[in-house]
Amino acid sequence: MVRTGDRYFFGGCPKTNNTGRCVTKLARFHGCMQQIFIDDEPVDIDVMLQRKWGRYTELLLGTCGITDRCTPDPCEHEGRCIQSWNDFLCICNNTGYKGEVCHNSVYRESCEAYRLNGKYWSGNYTIDPDLSGPLKPFTVYCKMKLNRSWTIIEHNRLGSTRVTGSSVDRPYIGDVQYVNASWDEVTALANTSLYCEQWIEFSCYKSRLLNTPHGKPYTYWIGRHNESHDYWGGSFRESGKCGCAINKTCTDPKFWCNCDADYRQWYTDKGYLTFRDHLPIRRVVIGDTNRTGSEAQFSLGPLRCYGDRSIWNTIAITKPTYMTFPTFKPGTSADITFHFRTYRTSGVFLENSDDHLRNFIRIELNSTTSVIFIFMVGDGIRNVTLHTPKALNDNEWHYVEAEINVKMARLKVDYFPPAIHKFPGQTYITMEFTQPLLVGAANHTLRPFLGCLRGLRLNGAPVDLEGKVDERNGIRRNCTGACLNASIPCRNGGQCIDGYASYSCDCNNTAFDGYYCHLDIGAFFEVGSWLRYDIRTEPIPDDAWWANFWIEPHWHNFTLGYNTTTDDIEFSFSTLKAPAVLLYVSSFHKDYIAVLLKKDGTLSLRYRLGLITHKLQLTNRNLADGFPHFVNITRHNYTVWTQVDYMEPWVERLTLGEIPRFDSPKSIFLGRVMEVGDIDYDIQRHNSPGLEGCISGVRYNIFAPLKTYFRPNMTNPPVTTQGYVVESNCGAFPPVLGYIPWEDDPWFTELFFEYIHDDVTPPWMTLIVTVSLTLLFLILYGLYIYLYRYKGSYHTNEPKNLESPSSARPLTETLRKEKKDLSQIQEEGTGE
């Protein structure tokens, strides 16, 4: 027998010693109760009130004050809603979604997205092509390759299906059921893929296929838009042919398919269908197997797709403009994701509003380090601002994700912690926009966005940015700005920095200067003078070298001196004296690189790598002729490419031996080698007295000695000089693309006169000076003769008889007579 006792507590327990277990172990009840019975006897609430047995401060009698917060259901994607007195919670377990209202997918949109996020191994993956959209996630097989990933979906028609007894009026219909995915989900995958293919095969025994060349097809397949197609695998779309007609291998050349010959033998028509907009295959219809002995078999391969058009759907906005898209209709939850890339400090990415601006959303780059999400969805203007520790206008891709629902608004940029604005309880939002979605800055022309956008999605649905390409209005396909069609491209290896409406040139890793990296930086060396640039002050440790040996060439590795299997040298020079060491790169070991001008004026290259010294003859003609000459040397492992002036590049293979690394480069010498320690005899023979001439545009990998010396960007540049080394472009080689017009050069301020040294004056300058002096002498001499004759004859006014050309006297005789007449006149004047 069970006795219940004489005291009952509803909603909780009083805080007493006897009821401590009830208070600590059980949560208090929040909700409504009615029709309370104890031992089959109804409880009279009024009697309870009269006796005041209870605590009534948070108790409402006679009414139920709780609000049903789960109707209508705020949870998406089959999430389960539970609530407390003043809030609700969405349980998203086993739905494939996450977030406050189960809005965001926990899976990637494609195999390509998994690969780009570091998943490089093949296997089964769950994908969600529309992300937060209505379609459910499904499992596919991802075959990961180095540069792409294949998405493979199987179905129920992989094996061969035998067909008999079908006719055109009563055809056999073979429906295709894809594994783990609905038709809409498979279609969404194909729609967002870059390329798709599907194998189709038809084997026949006296059963016609397409009834070519001009009949109505007996067999066809139905694709994505529920449309029938009468072309077969291996042929072009809507061609009405099989693959054998394209390859001209059909059994009977009168027909366009093997099976259309209608032989009593087994033949096959097969191949890949590759037009993505028609795939996947939904069903196969077969209609010519009802004759005696007729039979057919068909099979389909899995749907195979690669790429993701939504990820790489990219445009560049190069002018203040905007694009219009259909109105965004998000409902009670919205998410917007995209990538951007820019050099601008601010700009509006997108916005949407109603007719009266009572509802709107806008996302913009507010400053170089902040993105702002502004919205008004029923309760005044709010915003969420995310500040980043690094600049976002660095011309690198950055990811933005903005989300808003009944609980909060969130903004995320790259991998930085999100910024969140939580709404108070019982918040209702209305996102009913009527105006078109604007990508750009239609209503905010003072803050236009200039740069690149890609992968824009609204509630998981991709937006076709490339469909709005308009070159005249400054909207280009792919991420190309002003650098693509630059009127004057950056010269000498300068990097084009795209401002999208304009551009600039980064000359940091070149040996040149100027707005277009077109201004040569050179020097004149008097005999015996030299310049040294110190690359490193200590050798590279072996462990550091081996750690970086197999990596790809990168400027950082050049800076550290690690990438010693690759050398890149370029410079120009002019001189009239030989021999000379034009350039010498030393190392902390016995390795070196030397470019020598030999006694006969020919150019030679010396490479010492380990125990082997390689000697390469670069020219057979005399380059000590006073003209500027250009030298380019590139080595990768054992292969050396050389080019002098405009000659064709020459390729040489070094002698195979140990690892061809230039060990621990130390210093670069120009003009003369003044290295401490032993120097090869071959170098010493060319080292004295030193270069007397000009050298310009010197670069070894990313090191530019002359630029560092004459345009220092540090307090103590690692350059040492001795003797007379003065800036001059007398060794500059004429640019291949021609000189920059002064009116197109933003750095141009005044006329520039080239500084020419007397001892290296080129022959063309000597010729010009000689001709000019000769003409000046003849003019002055003629003027002198004219004045002299006038002075000796002005005392007489008698006209002289004109003489014919045949009687003209030589100039010396005329001068002698004039001088005699002048003497007689002077004597007569003296006698008087």
Side-chain angles (χ1 to χ4, degrees), residues 22-36:
C22 173
V23 174
T24 58
K25 297 297 183 181
L26 299 176
R28 293 184 179 184
F29 172 75
H30 290 165
C32 300
M33 300 178 67
Q34 64 180 359
Q35 296 181 354
I36 303 173

Side-chain angles (χ1 to χ4, degrees), residues 539-612:
I540 301 172
D542 288 339
D543 54 350
W545 187 90
W546 281 106
N548 292 272
F549 175 68
W550 298 109
I551 59 179
E552 292 293 325
H554 188 270
W555 69 267
H556 181 66
N557 302 318
F558 282 132
T559 304
L560 298 176
Y562 293 146
N563 207 308
T564 51
T565 60
T566 299
D567 300 306
D568 192 10
I569 300 171
E570 65 178 15
F571 65 92
S572 61
F573 73 96
S574 65
T575 184
L576 290 168
K577 305 292 180 62
V581 178
L582 299 178
L583 179 141
Y584 183 89
V585 184
S586 66
S587 74
F588 284 95
H589 304 281
K590 293 186 177 182
D591 295 350
Y592 68 83
I593 305 172
V595 182
L596 309 177
L597 189 66
K598 301 169 72 174
K599 286 186 177 182
D600 58 359
T602 59
L603 205 62
S604 179
L605 173 65
R606 298 288 187 272
Y607 250 115
R608 181 178 176 88
L609 302 175
L611 301 176
I612 303 176

Side-chain angles (χ1 to χ4, degrees), residues 794-824:
Y794 79 99
H795 286 286
T796 174
N797 293 323
E798 295 180 2
K800 296 182 179 180
N801 294 329
L802 295 176
E803 297 179 349
S804 64
S806 60
S807 63
R809 293 170 293 182
L811 178 60
T812 55
E813 184 178 347
T814 302
L815 292 176
R816 192 180 300 114
K817 184 177 183 301
E818 294 287 348
K819 185 176 182 180
K820 181 178 180 182
D821 293 341
L822 180 60
S823 299
Q824 291 176 355

Side-chain angles (χ1 to χ4, degrees), residues 753-787:
F753 296 95
E754 187 173 18
Y755 177 36
I756 302 296
H757 294 272
D758 296 337
D759 47 2
V760 289
T761 302
W764 58 269
M765 184 61 72
T766 303
L767 179 62
I768 292 176
V769 173
T770 303
V771 172
S772 300
L773 292 176
T774 302
L775 290 175
L776 181 62
F777 173 76
L778 292 176
I779 292 172
L780 293 175
Y781 184 75
L783 183 62
Y784 169 77
I785 295 301
Y786 172 77
L787 293 176

Side-chain angles (χ1 to χ4, degrees), residues 353-372:
S353 66
D354 61 11
D355 295 328
H356 306 288
L357 294 179
R358 287 193 295 264
N359 288 278
F360 73 87
I361 56 174
R362 184 167 71 246
I363 306 174
E364 63 179 80
L365 180 66
N366 193 46
S367 69
T368 59
T369 58
S370 65
V371 177
I372 186 170

Side-chain angles (χ1 to χ4, degrees), residues 59-74:
L59 181 66
L60 297 176
L61 299 176
T63 183
C64 186
I66 190 170
T67 301
D68 187 356
R69 303 183 185 278
C70 290
T71 304
D73 192 350

